[in-house]
C-alpha cells in the first residue's frame, strides 16, 4: 500500500537553519455547545421572553421571524444573523408565515474572543453584510451534518460529534475574522488589553518552545523584559495588562508553561534529566531540580518514576 500524499509546503530558509522544526501554537480553548438545532415552524409559532447564560447564534434559513431583544424588535429575514450575549432577554415569533431557523448556544473560555464579542453592540447582521456573508460557507458545512444520512453514521457517534466540533470551530474562525475588523472601530479598551495580553502569552510560549540549544534560562529577567521591549511597553504595564486578563503575572504563567513542558519531557524516557534541564535553558541540573520540586512538590526523578507504568508486554 502506498503512503498518503501530503501537500507540499514551500521551503523556508529559517526552518532549514533550525533543522526543519516548526512549533504550531498550543490550543487550550474550551468550547461548550448547547442545543444546536434547525427547526421549521408555522405561522402561529412564538417563543416567550427568556434568557440564558450562553451566547446564542440564530440565523433564519427560510422565511422571516420577528426577534425582540431587550424590548427592541428586529425583522430577521433569510440569511440574517442574530448574535445574543448571555443574560439578554429575548423572544421571537413568526411574521405571518412559517419559517426555518438555525440556532446554537455556546460558551468559550478564550478571553480575547470573549472580549471581542462583549464589545459588539450590534445584535442583527444582515445577510448582505460582511459578517453573515463570510460565515455562510462555514454555516453550510455545519448544516450538512444536520441529518445522520449525510455522513452515514449515527447521530450520537464520536465521529459525528468531532465533525460538528470541527465545523463549529471553523464557524468561530470566520466569525472572528468578520467581526474583528468591525470591532476595531468600537470604543473601549477591553479588547485592546486582551489582545495585548494574548500577544504576551504567545511570546512566553515561544520562549519555552525555542529549539534545543537556543533557549536561554526561562527564569532570566530578559524573558519579561525582552517581551516588553519587543512590544514597546514598560515591564510594569506588561505585568498589569497580563494580570488583568489571565489573573496571574507573566512570570507565574511562564513557570506554569515550563512545568507543563518539563512534565511532558520527563514522561519520555529517551531524555535524561540533564538533557531536559538543557532544553529548558537550565545549564545547571541542580537548579532545574530545585525549581521543579518547588513547583510540583517532587523531584524530577521522583516525578518520572511516578509516571512510568509497567507495560503488560514486559511481564513475560
Amino acid at each position: 500500500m502506498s503512503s498518503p500524499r501530503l501537500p507540499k509546503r514551500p521551503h523556508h530558509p529559517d526552518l532549514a537553519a533550525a533543522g526543519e522544526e516548526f512549533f504550531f501554537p498550543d490550543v487550550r480553548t474550551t468550547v461548550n455547545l448547547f442545543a444546536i438545532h434547525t427547526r421549521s415552524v408555522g405561522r402561529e409559532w412564538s417563543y416567550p421572553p427568556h434568557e440564558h447564560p450562553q451566547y446564542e447564534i440564530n440565523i433564519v434559513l427560510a422565511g422571516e421571524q420577528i426577534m425582540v431583544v431587550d424590548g427592541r424588535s428586529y425583522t430577521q429575514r433569510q440569511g440574517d444573523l442574530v448574535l445574543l450575549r448571555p443574560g439578554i432577554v429575548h423572544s421571537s415569533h413568526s411574521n405571518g408565515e412559517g419559517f426555518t431557523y438555525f440556532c446554537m448556544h455556546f460558551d468559550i473560555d478564550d478571553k480575547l474572543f470573549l472580549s471581542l464579542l462583549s464589545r459588539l453592540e450590534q445584535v442583527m447582521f444582515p445577510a448582505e453584510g460582511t459578517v453573515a456573508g463570510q460565515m455562510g460557507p462555514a454555516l453550510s458545512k455545519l448544516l450538512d451534518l444536520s441529518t445522520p444520512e449525510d455522513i452515514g453514521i449515527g447521530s450520537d457517534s464520536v465521529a459525528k460529534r468531532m465533525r460538528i466540533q470541527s465545523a463549529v470551530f471553523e464557524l468561530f474562525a470566520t466569525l472572528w475574522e468578520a467581526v474583528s475588523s468591525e470591532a476595531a472601530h468600537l470604543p473601549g479598551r477591553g479588547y485592546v488589553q486582551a489582545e495585548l495580553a494574548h500577544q504576551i502569552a504567545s511570546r512566553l510560549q515561544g520562549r519555552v518552545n525555542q529549539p534545543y540549544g537556543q533557549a536561554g534560562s526561562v527564569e532570566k529577567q530578559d524573558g519579561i523584559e525582552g517581551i516588553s521591549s519587543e512590544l514597546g511597553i514598560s515591564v510594569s504595564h506588561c505585568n498589569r495588562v497580563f494580570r488583568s486578563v489571565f489573573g496571574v503575572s507573566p512570570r507565574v504563567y511562564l513557570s506554569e508553561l515550563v512545568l507543563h513542558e518539563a512534565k511532558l519531557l520527563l514522561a519520555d524516557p529517551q531524555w535524561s534529566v540533564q538533557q531536559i534541564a538543557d532544553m529548558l535553558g537550565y545549564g545547571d541540573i541542580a537548579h532545574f531540580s530545585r525549581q521543579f520540586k518547588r513547583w510540583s512538590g517532587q523531584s524530577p526523578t521522583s516525578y518520572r518514576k511516578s509516571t512510568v507504568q509497567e507495560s503488560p508486554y514486559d511481564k513475560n
Side-chain angles (χ1 to χ4, degrees), residues 7-56:
K8 293 182 178 180
R9 60 182 178 87
H11 180 76
H12 196 293
D14 291 340
L15 290 181
E20 293 291 339
E21 185 175 40
F22 175 76
F23 286 95
F24 288 84
D26 287 354
V27 179
R28 301 181 180 181
T29 300
T30 300
V31 174
N32 296 308
L33 307 173
F34 309 89
I36 307 176
H37 65 283
T38 59
R39 187 178 186 183
S40 296
V41 298
R43 64 177 63 191
E44 302 298 327
W45 181 87
S46 66
Y47 203 93
H50 64 288
E51 60 182 271
H52 37 71
Q54 303 90 23
Y55 280 90
E56 177 181 334

Side-chain angles (χ1 to χ4, degrees), residues 16 25 79 89 132 145 148 166 172 249 281 312:
V89 177
L145 299 173
S166 173
F172 286 160
S249 69

Side-chain angles (χ1 to χ4, degrees), residues 181-252:
S181 59
E182 297 190 12
H185 304 294
L186 296 176
R189 299 184 57 188
Y191 171 73
V192 175
Q193 289 187 339
E195 184 176 31
L196 178 58
H198 278 258
Q199 290 181 28
I200 297 168
S202 177
R203 283 167 167 77
L204 289 171
Q205 182 71 62
R207 296 298 200 265
V208 177
N209 286 342
Q210 289 183 71
Y212 184 22
Q214 296 184 19
S217 172
V218 294
E219 290 191 306
K220 288 182 180 178
Q221 280 288 8
D222 180 63
I224 307 303
E225 292 182 350
I227 290 172
S228 300
S229 178
E230 292 169 12
L231 296 173
I233 59 177
S234 67
V235 173
S236 60
H237 185 60
C238 175
N239 281 291
R240 184 168 56 253
V241 169
F242 193 90
R243 186 183 290 275
S244 72
V245 173
F246 288 95
V248 296
S249 69
R251 188 164 302 283
V252 170

Side-chain angles (χ1 to χ4, degrees), residues 27-162:
V27 179
R28 301 181 180 181
T29 300
T30 300
V31 174
N32 296 308
L33 307 173
F34 309 89
I36 307 176
H37 65 283
T38 59
R39 187 178 186 183
S40 296
V41 298
R43 64 177 63 191
E44 302 298 327
W45 181 87
S46 66
Y47 203 93
H50 64 288
E51 60 182 271
H52 37 71
Q54 303 90 23
Y55 280 90
E56 177 181 334
I57 291 176
N58 188 294
I59 302 174
V60 169
L61 303 177
E64 295 182 2
Q65 79 165 323
I66 303 298
M67 180 77 75
V68 180
V69 182
D70 259 354
R72 181 176 177 180
S73 181
Y74 299 87
T75 300
Q76 191 179 359
R77 300 179 175 85
Q78 182 175 345
D80 292 347
L81 180 149
V82 165
L83 178 61
L84 301 173
R85 294 193 300 273
I88 298 296
V89 177
H90 58 284
S91 63
S92 57
H93 58 85
S94 297
N95 191 18
E97 299 293 336
F99 67 97
T100 301
Y101 69 92
F102 165 84
C103 181
M104 178 179 74
H105 302 83
F106 69 91
D107 60 39
I108 185 170
D109 67 354
D110 189 294
K111 292 182 173 62
L112 185 57
F113 192 48
L114 289 176
S115 179
L116 174 71
L117 295 181
S118 68
R119 297 181 67 225
L120 288 175
E121 297 180 359
Q122 187 173 350
V123 171
M124 193 173 79
F125 300 86
E128 63 275 11
T130 301
V131 174
Q134 290 189 15
M135 290 179 63
L139 176 62
S140 296
K141 183 176 180 179
L142 183 58
L143 292 174
D144 285 343
L145 299 173
S146 60
T147 60
E149 294 77 12
D150 289 329
I151 51 178
I153 56 179
S155 61
D156 60 344
S157 74
V158 173
K160 183 165 185 178
R161 291 202 305 272
M162 294 299 180

Side-chain angles (χ1 to χ4, degrees), residues 113 134-135 138 167-179:
F113 192 48
Q134 290 189 15
M135 290 179 63
V168 168
F169 268 98
E170 188 171 337
L171 188 71
F172 286 160
T174 55
L175 176 62
W176 168 268
E177 291 170 348
V179 170

